[in-house]
Amino acid sequence: NILGKATVEHRVHLEKRRQPHFPLLSAVTMKTFVAILALVAAASALPVAKRQAGCASSCRFYLCDDACFMPFPVDTAVTSRICLDGVVVGHVDSTGEAYVTVGGMTVPISSWMPAGLEQAFSASFFKSFGIYEEDECEYSGIGHETVQANQAEYLSGACFSLPVRAYQIIDPDTCNVLDNFAPNDPLVDCVAFEICDLGGVLGTGASPSPEAMLL
């Protein structure tokens, strides 16, 4: 079972993050080995802009189909599902406070107060929400709470990373949960993303300059 083998490798990765794990060819059939290589190669072939949104390169998770996304509507997933190389991520049960990186500085989003921001973002502003696709399996994407004051003007142009605290690995053929994981490294076990330019949508003509968004 390809997914079963990928899940085992995934667990080893969590326990021994700095020790690369390579399955012995003798332990699997040639057909399975080739299939695993094809799966990993296909994911790795995605442009960096899609895998990491051009930011937070340390994050292992990424959005399957989005380079950036429009943050509307609220309190629902507004992105494609969250992906991880080598396995199929089902529901993301818990996420932590998002981090924002601007001008080389990274801070929790609730501590981010760039010049002109009228109200700070809450620690739970970005979070995961369930997604049901055509195969009827439950996955997760990213959404956010209601935007307050002029917060929307500061969303585009920054790099965000959302820590993944608990998630499921599933079999996409049956939607059965194969395993549950609770990682604890917010700088690695996270999904990186950016918000598309909102200037025209907001009617402001442009988002604040990078200089204006600094702490």
Side-chain angles (χ1 to χ4, degrees), residues 10-168:
H10 180 61
R11 179 179 291 281
V12 172
H13 174 78
L14 287 175
E15 295 174 350
K16 299 181 179 181
R17 188 183 304 282
R18 300 187 185 281
Q19 300 180 21
H21 177 71
F22 301 98
L24 294 175
L25 183 59
S26 58
V28 295
T29 65
M30 178 62 72
K31 180 178 180 181
T32 301
F33 181 71
V34 171
I36 292 174
L37 287 181
L39 177 64
V40 174
S44 300
L46 288 173
V48 172
K50 280 189 174 291
R51 290 169 55 85
Q52 301 293 1
C55 70
S57 60
S58 65
C59 290
R60 296 195 301 125
F61 295 82
Y62 55 94
L63 298 176
C64 293
D65 299 317
D66 300 313
C68 67
F69 64 90
M70 303 299 288
F72 307 106
V74 301
D75 295 326
T76 188
V78 293
T79 70
S80 59
R81 60 188 177 91
I82 295 171
C83 285
L84 178 63
D85 288 348
V87 294
V88 177
V89 178
H91 188 259
V92 174
D93 301 313
S94 177
T95 52
E97 177 175 0
Y99 288 84
V100 57
T101 300
V102 178
M105 294 181 290
T106 300
V107 296
I109 193 170
S110 62
S111 301
W112 184 42
M113 282 298 297
L117 181 64
E118 297 173 0
Q119 182 172 330
F121 291 90
S122 71
S124 59
F125 182 77
F126 286 114
K127 61 187 72 174
S128 61
F129 290 90
I131 296 175
Y132 285 92
E133 297 191 348
E134 293 181 359
D135 59 10
E136 299 184 353
C137 296
E138 183 178 9
Y139 305 98
S140 286
I142 296 174
H144 66 86
E145 300 173 344
T146 301
V147 176
Q148 305 294 331
N150 66 340
Q151 290 176 340
E153 299 176 17
Y154 290 80
L155 289 174
S156 58
C159 166
F160 298 98
S161 60
L162 185 67
V164 175
R165 289 183 172 175
Y167 65 99
Q168 301 174 341

